[in-house]
């Protein structure tokens, strides 16, 4: 089984990975090893000798310096002077803590995290959870550390639960989900910064002495930084190096930090951003941190990504669509924006049906008096005049054409110009006495208030029950400035950002479980909240408002490091592209968009006959191959950051089929032919590629020759095992 306790050591393992925690001579928990499988009884912590500036304790067995030992869940001035994972204020003012080992429990399966999204286990999984209980009796606080290990994923799911076991209230100021101390070495880290319409670009740097990292402060995981970091050996690449992935299952403000003091061990932490955060705990209450998933790969970054893809696709995403290939959709947003009526929508649906598209999505502008982005958010009642009848009758007409019907909502927002705001101005997030900032002419609904959440659950549910709606796009187009709720007393205002996200999770849980047959896609002005927390409720994400095929090569490449491609919404749009003005061929746009949950986003009624033919062929190719896009193993072959070319592939679980994708972001004149070395195939097996037969060995070592030129700047090859 994956968890063993022996000789004061906890060994969490599967066949290829070990995570070892030791109870020290002074009953502190030591983070002694995370990496390739080892024999834990042969691992012995060496206690360093006295170093001048560190505080140490003289005790039997020699001097004991916690500040030089790898700590499992370090606390402020304990006396470990490195970054703490936990800080709090207690009434005595003695805000320094020493949490000592108390007890442990090995639980079969994986308990849920109350109110928070998390990886889950299913019956039949070989999985165990270790709970280690630590306490500072003087402060009256207990911290329980949780670790789950599955035998088939090289991953550890970690979170902490902080309990007030004293007689007085305490205020938590910082509670990280994970803290890891690495041994001396040369390391690099990668993160995924971005902006609106250029999410998840790549930043890579050497780990140096000092503090480095990233964080968000806008109430969401954000376009600016994804809650994910890769930490590993300097020089790590797709197939080389010890690589650790750290992913936070959380949609609010996050913080990822690496700290190296002097030449001492790098400490890596991830969790809720302590910025403007505090949380009051009354006696007997518990605070649960979000879950962090940490993965280990001995073979580079590619294997790390495949671990996340499998784990998140099968044990984080839920519901009917978890394992199902996604319907090909057409969304009217870039086709019509707010300017539509029933005829215009049905004209698009008519063409969509002929092309083989399966789902019609009606985007923003169908409700209240919304003909631009200045009004009606909160008034989730169909504008029957604009729609030429009820939503139900429109859905019927779409269904009659053989298409499913889907609808856009932005349920966390309220327009100042809305019936909802006129009735409940106090439901918008604002600071009393100050005019709230209207961004995109909208305000944020205060989801910390139960009555607001109940109203949204009811109104959205009424719309979903009133028509045959089989897909929902859940959008969110502004971040939270002026975080304040008049429902919270002054000492609890530091809870606002976290309580807001807990409120979002509550609403999503209620709506998604009430409508289990609906496919939900999350969106936040594109990828402003593309995180694992959202994936738990919605298995698909609109990852960027940028539909330009070249830009998408970078954005989808960045996404592929942690998110399964089944979750990546990708659409073919019109040219010149609305975000960049660039003109790319329909073939190129199709190749790039067929790398995920595929769809179109343009006015199909304006498309030429030839283009419709190409689209029909694209849809039929995608339908034939979408099973492998949904659950195949993903390999990045050529990086758009290193060459003008991008290439990637999917391989079926039994290695009997594969898809090879190639797209050139730019072409220099007179390009030389290139070779692309494939990965993940069975070396001994014969495969056909482009009517030729090769062994997997040849395809992986010699590769496939590609004569790149302006007429051959993108393709998808089907690779069939014989
Ligand atoms: C932002 C989204 O990302 C777009 O796809 C579209 O739904 C608009 N909002 C609608 O307002």
């Amino acid at each position: 089984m994956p968890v063993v306790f022996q000789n004061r050591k906890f060994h969490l393992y599967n066949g290829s990975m070990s995570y070892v925690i030791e109870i020290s001579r002074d009953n502190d928990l030591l983070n002694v090893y995370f990496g390739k499988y080892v024999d834990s009884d042969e691992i012995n912590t060496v206690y360093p000798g006295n170093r001048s500036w560190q505080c140490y304790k003289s005790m039997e067995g020699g001097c004991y310096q916690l500040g030089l030992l790898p700590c499992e869940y370090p606390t402020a001035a304990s006396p470990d002077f490195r970054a703490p994972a936990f800080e709090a204020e207690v009434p005595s003012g003695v805000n320094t803590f020493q949490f000592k080992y108390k007890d442990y429990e090995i639980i079969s399966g994986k308990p849920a995290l109350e109110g928070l999204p998390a990886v889950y286990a299913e019956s039949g999984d070989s999985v165990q959870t270790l709970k280690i209980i630590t306490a500072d009796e003087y402060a009256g606080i207990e911290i329980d550390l949780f670790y789950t290990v599955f035998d088939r994923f090289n991953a550890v799911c970690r979170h902490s639960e902080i309990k007030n076991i004293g007689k007085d209230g305490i205020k938590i100021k910082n509670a990280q989900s994970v803290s890891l101390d690495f041994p001396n070495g040369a390391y690099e880290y990668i993160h995924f910064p971005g902006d609106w319409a250029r999410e998840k670009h790549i930043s890579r740097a050497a780990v140096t002495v000092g503090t480095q990292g990233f964080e968000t402060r806008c109430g969401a995981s954000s376009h600016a930084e994804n809650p994910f970091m890769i930490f590993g050996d300097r020089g790590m690449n797709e197939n080389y190096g010890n690589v650790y992935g750290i992913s936070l299952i959380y949609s609010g403000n996050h913080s990822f930090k690496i700290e190296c003091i002097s030449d001492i061990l790098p400490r890596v932490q991830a969790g809720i951003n302590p910025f403007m955060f505090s949380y009051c705990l009354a006696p007997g209450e518990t605070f649960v941190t979000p879950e962090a998933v940490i993965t280990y790969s001995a073979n580079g970054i590619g294997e790390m990504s495949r671990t996340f893809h499998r784990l998140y696709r099968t044990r984080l995403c839920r519901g009917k669509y978890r394992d199902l290939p996604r319907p090909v959709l057409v969304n009217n947003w870039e086709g019509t924006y707010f300017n539509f009526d029933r005829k215009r929508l049905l004209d698009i649906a008519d063409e969509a049906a002929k092309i083989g598209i399966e789902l019609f999505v009606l985007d923003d502008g169908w409700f209240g008096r919304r003909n631009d982005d200045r009004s009606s958010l909160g008034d989730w009642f169909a504008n029957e005049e604009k729609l030429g009848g009820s939503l139900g009758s429109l859905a019927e007409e779409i269904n009659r054409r053989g298409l499913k019907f889907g609808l856009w909502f932005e349920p966390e927002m309220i327009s100042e110009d809305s019936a909802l705001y006129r009735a409940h101005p106090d439901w918008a997030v604002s600071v009393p006495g100050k005019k709230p900032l209207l961004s995109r002419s909208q305000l944020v609904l205060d989801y910390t208030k139960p009555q607001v959440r109940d109203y949204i659950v009811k109104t959205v549910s009424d719309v979903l029950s009133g028509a045959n709606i089989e897909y929902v796009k859940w959008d969110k187009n502004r971040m939270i400035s002026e975080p304040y709720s008049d429902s919270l007393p002054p000492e609890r205002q530091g809870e606002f950002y976290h309580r807001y996200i807990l409120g979002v999770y509550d609403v999503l849980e209620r709506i998604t479980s009430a409508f289990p047959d609906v496919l939900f896609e999350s969106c936040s002005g594109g990828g402003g909240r593309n995180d694992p927390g959202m994936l738990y409720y919605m298995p698909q994400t609109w990852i960027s408002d940028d539909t330009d095929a070249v830009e998408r090569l970078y954005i989808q490449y960045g996404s592929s490091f942690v998110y399964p491609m089944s979750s990546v919404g990708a659409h073919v749009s019109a040219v010149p592209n609305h975000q960049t003005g660039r003109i790319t061929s329909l073939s190129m746009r199709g190749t790039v968009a067929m790398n995920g949950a595929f769809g179109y986003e343009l006015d199909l009624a304006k498309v030429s006959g030839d283009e419709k033919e190409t689209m029909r062929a694209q849809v039929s190719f995608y339908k034939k191959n979408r099973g492998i896009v949904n659950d195949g193993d993903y390999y990045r072959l050529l990086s758009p950051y290193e060459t003008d070319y991008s290439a990637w592939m999917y391989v079926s679980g039994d290695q009997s089929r594969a898809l090879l994708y190639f797209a050139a972001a730019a072409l220099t004149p007179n390009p030389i032919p290139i070779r692309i070395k494939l990965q993940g195939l069975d070396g001994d097996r014969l495969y056909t590629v482009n009517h030729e037969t090769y062994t997997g060995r040849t395809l992986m070592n010699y590769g496939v020759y590609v004569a790149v030129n302006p007429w051959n700047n993108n393709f998808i090859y089907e690779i069939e095992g014989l």
Side-chain angles (χ1 to χ4, degrees), residues 240 255 309 408 504 571-572 634:
Y240 159 80
S255 154
H309 291 178
W408 178 96
V504 173
H571 300 170
V572 169
Y634 192 79

Side-chain angles (χ1 to χ4, degrees), residues 331 333 338 363-364 370 408 410 440 473 475 477 523-526 542 544-545 601:
N331 177 307
W333 178 243
F338 293 103
D363 210 280
D364 196 352
R370 190 151 165 104
W408 178 96
E410 195 176 1
R440 207 198 192 211
K473 180 174 172 188
D475 202 352
N477 284 298
C523 173
S524 174
W542 181 234
S544 181
D545 275 352
E601 187 164 332

Side-chain angles (χ1 to χ4, degrees), residues 264-276:
I264 306 175
L265 331 159
R267 172 167 290 173
V268 179
Q269 292 178 337
I272 295 178
N273 192 348
F275 166 79
M276 287 187 85

Side-chain angles (χ1 to χ4, degrees), residues 621-679:
F621 179 90
Y622 182 76
K623 284 181 180 168
K624 177 179 170 210
N625 288 298
R626 63 184 158 187
I628 197 171
V629 174
N630 208 46
D631 62 20
D633 288 331
Y634 192 79
Y635 293 84
R636 287 176 294 269
L637 305 178
L638 295 177
S639 157
Y641 287 90
E642 287 163 10
T643 69
D644 284 342
Y645 307 138
S646 290
W648 63 94
M649 64 186 289
Y650 294 91
V651 182
S652 65
D654 62 2
Q655 295 172 301
S656 67
R657 292 200 77 231
L659 293 176
L660 169 64
Y661 286 66
F662 171 84
L667 278 184
T668 47
N670 190 19
I672 56 163
I674 59 160
R675 275 197 279 154
I676 305 175
K677 294 181 186 176
L678 308 196
Q679 292 184 39

Side-chain angles (χ1 to χ4, degrees), residues 190-201:
I190 301 175
H191 61 120
F192 297 84
D195 205 326
W196 174 78
R198 48 188 162 89
E199 297 84 346
K200 289 192 236 78
H201 281 227

